[in-house]
């Protein structure tokens, strides 16, 4: 969709009303139903400092005049990811009602808890039929998604009614609930940290150079500092054990999108080094979609990782000294790159209303590991393809995939490629250092 000037736009920020209109406009062709009111209708919490859009948390900003706004780029990013979600309306997941579950009151002051909200609303209205005939035209919104448009009611034996939603919608709402929980936890950590060294009341409202304030979910003004490689070269297994690490992470802005507060400490699972603090949205986007330990699904989100935002993500991945020195990526990411980029021309397509569309679900698996590159083999396949339920597209040796990646990296991100290479091996361990899981309480919250 072409870029256009939004009403109420000021230096990248748009009003909540303009954000509502933009969200509906950008997601008009999405498989997931949306409606206006994502920023202004309950249960949106714009004045609490954030809004849920799909599985993302978007921070809201209050300018010096008291008007609430939201970064336009974040709305567009969330809309692009929602548009990339494929949905099969026949693949349903039951969401209620369940025997023995008491009737739940829907408290507007609590976090999302979408299953409780849907159950409470349907019970209050007497079921989906009465909900569909509701006199007002207010949409049923959760995280910007109009769930009522996709709700399915099934009846067994003519008496027992059950409610179902497409699996893709359930995953989105589960992701939104998880992201909101992480956001609230990070905000409470910032609040506790600020209470220790809280300045006098006349200095509490810290503003940036444009006079804006970023609000935490607790209503407190927070000033996020950019990440400047303060943790470069440190091991996650050691850093996650240090007291106060989570409070330190919460004070940074996300090192990838640079707009949302950081909530987790991203690290390389292959070499054990810390990359940078990132927000929950970027951490979820970067995490491989494992079907098994050596098998991942290559979804549409890899378009952002390897196409539209490739330079930012490649720079982020190479914050790990091990990956940067070897000019490669961790095995799951390299496998996904091989399937998404190197084998793109091999993927079958089928006719669609707007040309041809890649068919099936792309996936890649591997045998062996990067520690034994001669025996490591990547297998790229397509599931649910009309020409075959499981169709193997290519088998690529690890060394060949790594070499093809280096060539592609030099063409796609020359600056990242120039900073990588074997001359950066000084100080690296001779063998891969295993990542030690921290079970003391604070460590898992950073993952």
């Amino acid at each position: 969709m072409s870029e256009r000037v939004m009403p109420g736009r000021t230096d990248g920020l748009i009003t909540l009303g303009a954000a509502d209109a933009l969200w509906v406009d950008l997601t008009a062709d999405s498989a997931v139903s949306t409606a206006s009111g994502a920023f202004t209708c309950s249960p949106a919490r714009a004045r609490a400092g954030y809004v849920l859009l799909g599985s993302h948390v978007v921070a809201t900003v209050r300018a010096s005049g008291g008007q609430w706004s939201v970064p336009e780029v974040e709305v567009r990013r969330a809309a692009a990811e929602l548009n990339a979600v494929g949905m099969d309306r026949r693949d349903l997941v039951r969401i209620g009602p369940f025997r023995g579950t008491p009737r739940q009151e829907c408290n507007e002051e609590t976090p999302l808890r979408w299953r409780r909200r849907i159950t409470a609303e349907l019970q209050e209205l007497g079921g989906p039929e009465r909900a569909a005939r509701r006199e007002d035209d207010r949409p049923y919104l959760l995280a910007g998604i109009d769930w009522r448009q996709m709700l399915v009611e099934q009846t067994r034996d003519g008496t027992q009614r059950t409610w179902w939603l497409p699996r893709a919608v359930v995953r989105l709402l589960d992701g939104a609930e998880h992201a909101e929980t992480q956001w609230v936890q990070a905000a409470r950590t910032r609040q506790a940290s600020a209470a220790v060294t809280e300045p006098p009341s006349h200095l509490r409202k810290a503003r940036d150079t444009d006079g804006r304030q970023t609000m935490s979910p607790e209503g407190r003004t927070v000033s996020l500092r950019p990440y400047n490689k303060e943790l470069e070269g440190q091991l996650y297994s050691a850093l996650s054990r240090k007291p106060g690490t989570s409070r330190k992470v919460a004070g940074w802005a996300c090192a990838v999108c640079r707009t949302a507060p950081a909530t987790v400490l991203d690290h390389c699972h292959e070499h054990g080094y810390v990359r940078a603090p990132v927000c929950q949205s970027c951490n979820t986007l970067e995490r491989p979609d494992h079907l098994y330990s050596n098998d991942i699904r290559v979804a549409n989100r890899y378009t952002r990782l390897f196409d539209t935002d490739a330079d930012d993500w490649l720079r982020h991945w190479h914050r790990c000294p091990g990956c940067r020195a070897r000019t490669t990526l961790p095995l799951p990411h390299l496998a996904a790159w091989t399937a998404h980029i190197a084998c793109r021309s091999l993927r079958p397509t089928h006719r669609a209303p707007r040309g041809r569309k890649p068919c099936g679900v792309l996936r890649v698996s591997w045998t062996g590991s990067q520690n034994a590159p001669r025996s490591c083999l990547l297998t790229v396949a397509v599931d649910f393809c009309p020409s075959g339920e499981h169709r193997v597209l290519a088998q690529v040796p690890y060394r060949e995939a790594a070499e093809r990646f280096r060539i592609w990296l030099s063409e796609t991100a020359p600056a990242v490629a120039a900073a990588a290479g074997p001359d950066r091996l000084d100080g690296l361990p001779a063998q891969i250092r295993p990542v030690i899981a921290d079970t003391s309480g604070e460590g898992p919250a950073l993952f």
Side-chain angles (χ1 to χ4, degrees), residues 339-409:
H340 185 76
I341 299 295
C343 297
R344 176 179 291 172
S345 61
L346 303 178
R347 188 174 180 182
T349 60
H350 62 264
R351 292 182 181 178
R354 299 179 182 178
R356 299 192 68 84
K357 178 181 178 181
C359 66
V361 178
L362 197 63
R363 64 187 290 184
V364 59
S365 60
W366 56 89
T367 57
S369 74
Q370 73 283 352
N371 297 326
R374 289 186 179 181
S375 60
C376 185
L377 183 68
L378 312 182
T379 301
V380 182
V382 171
D383 284 346
F384 311 114
C385 179
S387 61
E389 183 70 12
H390 181 84
R391 177 176 176 182
V392 175
L393 301 182
Q395 290 186 317
V396 184
Y398 176 87
R399 286 186 170 179
E400 179 183 341
E403 182 60 31
R404 293 170 72 174
F405 170 77
R406 295 185 185 104
I407 297 173
W408 176 83
L409 179 66

Side-chain angles (χ1 to χ4, degrees), residues 53-77:
L53 292 180
S55 57
H56 297 276
V57 177
V58 177
T60 54
V61 177
R62 186 169 64 180
S64 55
Q67 185 180 39
W68 286 92
S69 305
V70 65
E72 180 180 352
V73 64
E74 289 301 308
V75 181
R76 292 184 176 274
R77 179 174 294 148

Side-chain angles (χ1 to χ4, degrees), residues 282-333:
C282 289
N283 189 55
T284 302
L285 178 67
E286 184 265 349
R287 184 181 299 139
D289 186 5
H290 279 280
L291 298 171
Y292 304 98
S293 60
N294 65 334
D295 194 342
I296 61 174
R297 181 184 291 108
V298 184
N300 292 332
R301 62 190 175 88
Y302 283 99
T303 301
R304 279 189 58 190
L305 296 176
F306 296 128
D307 288 317
T308 56
D309 299 337
D311 190 76
D312 290 336
W313 281 105
L314 291 167
R315 197 179 305 275
H316 174 69
W317 285 321
H318 273 207
R319 287 186 170 111
C320 167
C323 294
R324 185 170 66 248
R326 294 168 176 82
T327 321
T328 185
L329 296 177
L331 181 54
H333 294 312

